[in-house]
Amino acid sequence: QVILKESGPALVKPTETLTLTCTVSGFSLTDAKMGVGWIRQPPGKALEWVAHIFSSDEKSYSTSLKSRLAISKDTSKSQVVLTMTNMDPVDTATYYCARIWDDFLTGYYIPFDYWGQGTLVTVSS
Amino acid sequence: DIQMTQSPSSLSASVGDRVTITCRASQDISHALAWYQQKPGKAPKLLLYAASRLQSGVPSRFRGSGSGTAYSLTINTLQPEDFATYYCQHYYSTAHTFSQGTKLEIK
């Protein structure tokens, strides 16, 4: 059973650094072409892709957020960590992590097939 | 980055109707397109990928089609549980951009 669970602070102050952790089970971050991504959604607004990382350690970042982001993985803990610096009230959103992988048996890239429940992060002083 | 434009932004329909939502990419994305359904307070659910491949467990009334820059999601015989917000997302390049979504409401 594939499960992803986000954890992190519910409230951060402007200019602070946000650190979110995604803990996964049911698959391994060392499996070939397996990855985890982060997606956020401000209240009442659309989804926004933020970043993702693959087992190969290949990383991709949103162009608009790239200067503030870092994504990493700890395979021993089955965790993917996202840090976002210089938080602003406009970064208030529900942050989701989700699995992304390349099914080499079928030859298809499967985007975000399993999601965590999401964690609401509010940026306010 | 590739931009995704979805239309309409909202849509009213009745149970039993057929509806179509369209998604246009700012460049050819070669079928690297996924569709998601999201209900209030819930995480999105993957419906289709590779433009037309149905994710496991998704009812066959959901159909995806298109090529190049233009794609569509058709829902045949709308069921009460289909009223939700739908998003497309490309994954042609490393920046996996989402669209702004379509809210499907009951008429």
Side-chain angles (χ1 to χ4, degrees), chain B residues 69-90:
Chain B
T69 62
Y71 298 85
S72 62
L73 170 69
T74 297
I75 312 172
N76 291 298
T77 316
L78 274 171
Q79 298 299 302
E81 61 268 29
D82 298 338
F83 292 93
T85 300
Y86 293 85
Y87 295 93
C88 66
Q89 178 200 30
H90 88 83

Side-chain angles (χ1 to χ4, degrees), chain B residues 3 5 8 10-11 13 19-20 35 40 48-50 61 69 71-72 74 76 84 86 92 100:
Chain B
Q3 304 305 313
T5 304
S10 64
L11 179 58
V19 298
T20 297
W35 290 97
L48 299 112
Y49 59 94
R61 64 180 179 272
T69 62
Y71 298 85
S72 62
T74 297
N76 291 298
Y86 293 85
Y92 181 75
Q100 291 303 109

Side-chain angles (χ1 to χ4, degrees), chain A residues 51-125:
Chain A
H52 61 251
I53 185 169
F54 284 98
S55 53
S56 61
D57 214 37
E58 175 190 345
K59 303 168 187 176
S60 297
Y61 296 104
S62 162
T63 302
S64 61
L65 299 171
K66 187 172 185 176
S67 63
R68 302 169 50 207
L69 294 175
I71 191 169
S72 62
K73 57 182 170 63
D74 184 335
T75 55
S76 67
K77 295 181 179 179
S78 295
Q79 292 178 336
V80 171
V81 176
L82 179 76
T83 60
M84 184 180 297
T85 61
N86 194 25
M87 292 292 285
D88 184 272
V90 300
D91 297 312
T92 294
T94 295
Y95 287 75
Y96 296 99
C97 62
R99 187 178 77 163
I100 188 166
W101 61 300
D102 212 330
D103 183 354
F104 50 84
L105 291 179
T106 63
Y108 285 98
Y109 183 89
I110 313 295
F112 304 135
D113 59 344
Y114 285 90
W115 294 62
Q117 64 190 21
T119 185
L120 175 61
V121 178
T122 301
V123 184
S124 175
S125 55

Side-chain angles (χ1 to χ4, degrees), chain B:
Chain B
D1 290 356
I2 299 171
Q3 304 305 313
M4 305 302 294
T5 304
Q6 187 171 331
S7 61
S9 57
S10 64
L11 179 58
S12 294
S14 301
V15 173
D17 284 353
R18 180 173 68 183
V19 298
T20 297
I21 298 167
T22 62
C23 191
R24 185 170 294 273
S26 58
Q27 67 180 72
D28 187 341
I29 56 172
S30 298
H31 299 94
L33 185 93
W35 290 97
Y36 298 85
Q37 176 193 69
Q38 187 180 32
K39 296 182 178 179
K42 300 294 187 182
K45 173 186 176 182
L46 177 65
L47 299 175
L48 299 112
Y49 59 94
S52 61
R53 291 188 67 87
L54 207 61
Q55 173 67 354
S56 175
V58 175
S60 59
R61 64 180 179 272
F62 291 91
R63 288 196 60 221
S65 63
S67 63
T69 62
Y71 298 85
S72 62
L73 170 69
T74 297
I75 312 172
N76 291 298
T77 316
L78 274 171
Q79 298 299 302
E81 61 268 29
D82 298 338
F83 292 93
T85 300
Y86 293 85
Y87 295 93
C88 66
Q89 178 200 30
H90 88 83
Y91 47 95
Y92 181 75
S93 61
T94 55
H96 294 8
T97 316
F98 286 92
S99 65
Q100 291 303 109
T102 294
K103 186 173 184 179
L104 176 57
E105 298 175 303
I106 300 175
K107 187 182 288 183

